[in-house]
Amino acid sequence: MAFHYYPEDYKSYLSLTETEKAILDIKDFFQTYLSAQLKLRRVTAPLYLKEGTGLNDDLNGVEKPVKFKPRNIDTNVEIVQSLAKWKRMMLADYGIEKGYGLYTDMNAIRPDEEIDNLHSFYVDQWDWELVMDEKDRNLSFLKNVVEKIYSTMVATEFLVYESYPEIKPILPEKITFIHSQNLLEMYPEKTPSERENLAAEKYGAIFIIGIGANLSDEKPHDGRAPDYDDWITENEDGYLGLNGDLIVWHPMIKRAFEISSMGIRVNKESLLKQLKIRNCNDRKDLLFHKRLLNGELPQTIGGGIGQSRLCMFFLRKVHIGEVQASVWTDEIIENCKKVNIVLM
């Protein structure tokens, strides 16, 4: 459901010029700190991929990528929607060792997105992927990586405060982990998004574990593609899922605010199970899936971290168009003008 919010008393903490500088500072600091925390090497990413390889991400399974037929190329190419599977192949092809990984600037176009204060057709995020040991496919390892990402966020928030003292730090010292099944049991009469709002407001920062598999109400907390995150393996808490979403409470828009989706990736067994559940067995013949099933790809953990989302949160903006240039409807542009929301 789209989220349109136009507060009448809104006034940005920073001018447009200050905002542009702050965005640069946030992005430079965050990626440097994160790469040191997780031992990630920066690589260059493609803007488009060949159709039919299985490398492009189909997100919830219904979003259609932008595609075109380049001159002198014998197949269509697709603008990326994310690089979840491409990164894992690159780790194999680069021969990166266990305990190390890569990250990249991922720029995507998602034409089926319902644009609002939080979403645009343009997506910019850091896509990262880390080679791990098969024996570490457990909740403890997932939580350890999440905590490193979260500590990077806390450090970045302090950097913003040092430069702009009027923007006070609000992130709690520790992130709270909660499984989506526990969230359902806490708020059984609420929708998944309403549960997220209640938990995020209560704790300030949460990581919801287990996104993709059906819960006790026979519905998933949210959709996930079957061929990157592992959402079917039982974890040590007895619930399904080795993945999740990192969410904070955004005080300016008074709602849960997703920063990152990530998880331990599928192995051969979980890939086969998830493809069967989603009736996607035909994907086994695609390039990525064949390489995984043949044992040619390393076990990894990875995800995406929204760059504009981070900047929007750290700078206490109410619209993502305040921190990225995109295309908006006439109605959104007019509504923003009325309440002094300056779109880039």
Side-chain angles (χ1 to χ4, degrees):
M1 183 180 297
F3 174 72
H4 297 286
Y5 179 63
Y6 305 103
E8 294 183 1
D9 57 348
Y10 177 66
K11 185 179 188 305
S12 174
Y13 284 100
L14 305 183
S15 67
L16 181 59
T17 300
E18 290 172 324
T19 297
E20 292 279 20
K21 181 182 184 303
I23 290 171
L24 177 62
D25 291 342
I26 289 170
K27 290 185 177 182
D28 284 348
F29 180 85
F30 187 91
Q31 65 183 324
T32 301
Y33 197 106
L34 183 69
S35 64
Q37 285 275 75
L38 296 182
K39 301 178 182 176
L40 306 175
R41 173 200 306 173
R42 190 189 184 283
V43 300
T44 300
L47 180 60
Y48 39 81
L49 298 162
K50 281 189 175 182
E51 184 181 29
T53 61
L55 283 176
N56 205 358
D57 186 1
D58 67 348
L59 305 173
N60 290 313
V62 296
E63 295 89 346
K64 299 296 186 293
V66 177
K67 64 177 69 176
F68 63 96
K69 175 73 167 59
R71 180 181 296 179
N72 299 326
I73 300 295
D74 59 1
T75 185
N76 287 334
V77 298
E78 300 175 342
I79 304 295
V80 299
Q81 297 199 110
S82 92
L83 294 170
K85 297 190 281 290
W86 176 86
K87 293 175 296 180
R88 194 168 179 181
M89 280 187 46
M90 291 305 101
L91 287 171
D93 295 344
Y94 290 154
I96 294 180
E97 299 177 357
K98 290 178 184 177
Y100 297 88
L102 56 80
Y103 80 96
T104 189
D105 286 290
M106 193 283 298
N107 296 290
I109 298 174
R110 297 180 181 173
D112 287 334
E113 196 71 76
E114 188 167 8
I115 57 174
D116 58 17
N117 288 61
L118 310 181
H119 303 88
S120 74
F121 301 125
Y122 168 65
V123 177
D124 57 338
Q125 65 184 36
W126 289 289
D127 258 351
W128 63 274
E129 201 81 12
L130 175 69
V131 181
M132 56 179 285
D133 199 303
E134 181 77 19
K135 66 179 177 60
D136 290 325
R137 301 186 82 256
N138 55 61
L139 208 50
S140 297
F141 186 83
L142 173 65
K143 288 180 177 180
N144 180 260
V145 174
V146 171
E147 286 168 346
K148 289 179 179 179
I149 295 172
Y150 185 69
S151 70
T152 304
M153 291 175 59
V154 172
T156 307
E157 187 180 46
F158 181 73
L159 172 79
V160 173
Y161 172 63
E162 284 284 272
S163 300
Y164 308 100
E166 63 273 30
I167 303 178
K168 308 294 184 185
I170 59 173
L171 289 174
E173 183 178 346
K174 300 290 184 182
I175 190 168
T176 297
F177 293 93
I178 184 168
H179 195 278
S180 54
Q181 178 61 41
N182 296 136
L183 206 56
L184 171 60
E185 292 164 1
M186 290 168 61
Y187 309 110
E189 303 302 319
K190 302 296 185 181
T191 66
S193 61
E194 289 171 340
R195 294 173 215 151
E196 290 180 2
N197 283 333
L198 290 166
E201 184 175 19
K202 180 178 180 179
Y203 296 109
I206 57 176
F207 187 82
I208 300 177
I209 302 165
I211 310 286
N214 282 354
L215 304 177
S216 60
D217 63 353
E218 298 302 318
K219 301 174 184 177
H221 180 81
D222 200 356
R224 280 295 182 278
D227 41 16
Y228 54 99
D229 282 354
D230 185 331
W231 40 259
I232 201 61
T233 296
E234 184 175 309
N235 58 52
E236 50 264 54
D237 284 349
Y239 297 119
L240 297 180
L242 294 171
N243 70 334
D245 289 344
L246 196 163
I247 296 170
V248 298
W249 178 254
H250 194 317
M252 301 296 290
I253 58 176
K254 299 178 177 61
R255 63 168 288 155
F257 192 70
E258 182 184 324
I259 297 294
S260 176
S261 173
M262 57 169 287
I264 292 173
R265 304 309 198 185
V266 290
N267 57 14
K268 178 179 178 179
E269 291 73 26
S270 56
L271 173 65
L272 291 173
K273 289 179 182 178
Q274 292 180 182
L275 289 178
K276 183 178 180 179
I277 290 171
R278 294 292 172 80
N279 297 314
C280 296
N281 281 326
D282 57 319
R283 295 190 191 183
K284 289 187 287 187
D285 294 325
L286 299 175
L287 172 63
F288 170 83
H289 304 73
K290 286 197 293 187
R291 290 191 65 179
L292 178 56
L293 294 172
N294 288 337
E296 299 175 18
L297 304 182
Q299 177 59 59
T300 64
I301 182 172
I305 302 171
Q307 295 184 15
S308 291
R309 284 287 183 98
L310 272 178
C311 293
M312 183 179 166
F313 173 75
F314 287 136
L315 302 180
R316 310 294 187 254
K317 302 287 190 176
V318 302
H319 199 289
I320 200 164
E322 295 180 88
V323 293
Q324 68 160 233
S326 188
V327 174
W328 308 100
T329 64
D330 291 341
E331 181 181 10
I332 289 175
I333 293 171
E334 185 60 31
N335 286 334
C336 286
K337 283 181 179 179
K338 289 178 182 178
V339 297
N340 202 35
I341 295 174
V342 180
L343 300 175
M344 288 185 167

